[in-house]
Amino acid sequence: TPTGYVVRPVIAHVPKAMEYQPDQNEVASIFHLPMEFLLDDKNEHQLEPISYEGRLYRIYEYRYDGHRIWGLTARILNKIARIARKNKKLQKRSKPR
């Protein structure tokens, strides 16, 4: 992160029946975000870049079902979406016709 924290996102399939226990100091709410929503670049909003210690950083935001996703979470989701879109395009190209 720009502030020096190291974050390692983990992608996993989690059973819906699982009971979550969010840390109220860290998490406002827990909800499921469909991958189809994330892959649709129309749902991605780029805000004004911010400057931090002389560098400009792109700021992303997603709005889903009354939730605002921003900050590092949006940045991570944006990276995941870009990788998934790129892989999807590569798969389409490599299919035999």
Side-chain angles (χ1 to χ4, degrees):
T1 66
T3 56
Y5 288 96
V6 175
V7 177
R8 181 165 294 149
V10 176
I11 299 174
H13 180 268
V14 180
K16 286 186 179 183
M18 184 173 181
E19 187 175 323
Y20 303 103
Q21 296 180 357
D23 180 336
Q24 298 300 317
N25 296 317
E26 293 286 331
V27 178
S29 64
I30 294 176
F31 58 95
H32 294 272
L33 181 69
M35 191 66 179
E36 294 79 22
F37 175 88
L38 194 59
L39 291 177
D40 186 347
D41 58 0
K42 293 176 194 154
N43 295 319
E44 172 188 304
H45 303 284
Q46 192 167 339
L47 307 177
E48 288 294 318
I50 62 165
S51 177
Y52 182 79
E53 294 189 357
R55 290 185 61 193
L56 277 178
Y57 292 90
R58 291 184 179 142
I59 305 298
Y60 299 97
E61 176 185 72
Y62 297 89
R63 292 192 180 258
Y64 177 76
D65 197 26
H67 297 279
R68 178 180 181 231
I69 306 165
W70 60 281
L72 182 58
T73 304
R75 192 175 178 92
I76 291 168
L77 290 174
N78 177 266
K79 181 71 171 181
I80 292 168
R82 282 188 287 141
I83 291 169
R85 283 187 215 122
K86 184 177 178 180
N87 287 339
K88 197 173 185 181
K89 287 179 186 176
L90 291 174
Q91 286 176 355
K92 283 183 181 179
R93 284 190 215 155
S94 66
K95 286 184 181 180
R97 294 181 184 213

